[in-house]
Amino acid sequence: MMRGLIAAVVLTLLLGLGGGVLDGAAPSWRRPARFLRSPPRLCAAILSQRLPVRNADDEINTLVREINSMLDKIEQLTLGMRTVLDSAAHDLRTPLNRLQATAEGAINGLAPGSAERKVNRARLHGG
């Protein structure tokens, strides 16, 4: 029974591969190899890169179009996130500078050379 099952699986695989070759699927096997070289470039923060699309209406091109669409969305979201972070950094810079100036003014009001002044200055400057 096990031999029959193995024979059926092998026969199914051979017929599937043979049908694929006869149907012209062999050229499409080489095409994904080009795409396998593309992801490292895409992951290297070059979000403007897109996978090439052929002039054919097959599963590979459908997949490529979907991937390119996802890359467009990722690029838009990354740009939006960068804009929000830049804006937040800018909005926080002024209050933080005021806070630091106030702290330094308070430290300067302490007696020169006092232990309290040394400790507070070290805390303020991360030492």
Side-chain angles (χ1 to χ4, degrees):
M1 181 161 162
M2 187 63 138
R3 285 186 186 163
L5 179 62
I6 291 173
V9 168
V10 169
L11 182 62
T12 302
L13 288 173
L14 289 174
L15 287 174
L17 289 174
V21 169
L22 292 176
D23 190 34
S28 67
W29 290 355
R30 289 189 297 265
R31 192 157 181 255
R34 282 194 335 220
F35 300 139
L36 293 177
R37 291 189 298 267
S38 296
R41 285 194 327 241
L42 296 173
C43 292
I46 304 173
L47 293 176
S48 61
Q49 292 283 328
R50 297 294 178 265
L51 297 173
V53 179
R54 285 189 311 159
N55 225 0
D57 192 25
D58 59 3
E59 293 85 7
I60 299 288
N61 273 339
T62 302
L63 179 63
V64 168
R65 281 192 213 76
E66 290 298 319
I67 290 172
N68 285 342
S69 174
M70 287 187 279
L71 288 170
D72 288 339
K73 186 68 173 173
I74 290 170
E75 186 176 21
Q76 290 171 359
L77 291 171
T78 303
L79 180 63
M81 185 176 64
R82 192 173 297 138
T83 302
V84 167
L85 289 175
D86 288 346
S87 177
H90 177 74
D91 291 348
L92 288 173
R93 204 168 289 129
T94 300
L96 288 174
N97 286 339
R98 283 188 192 146
L99 183 62
Q100 184 175 8
T102 302
E104 285 178 353
I107 290 171
N108 289 336
L110 297 173
S114 70
E116 188 178 16
R117 183 175 180 159
K118 289 178 185 174
V119 168
N120 285 326
R121 184 166 298 285
R123 284 184 184 163
L124 181 64
H125 295 291

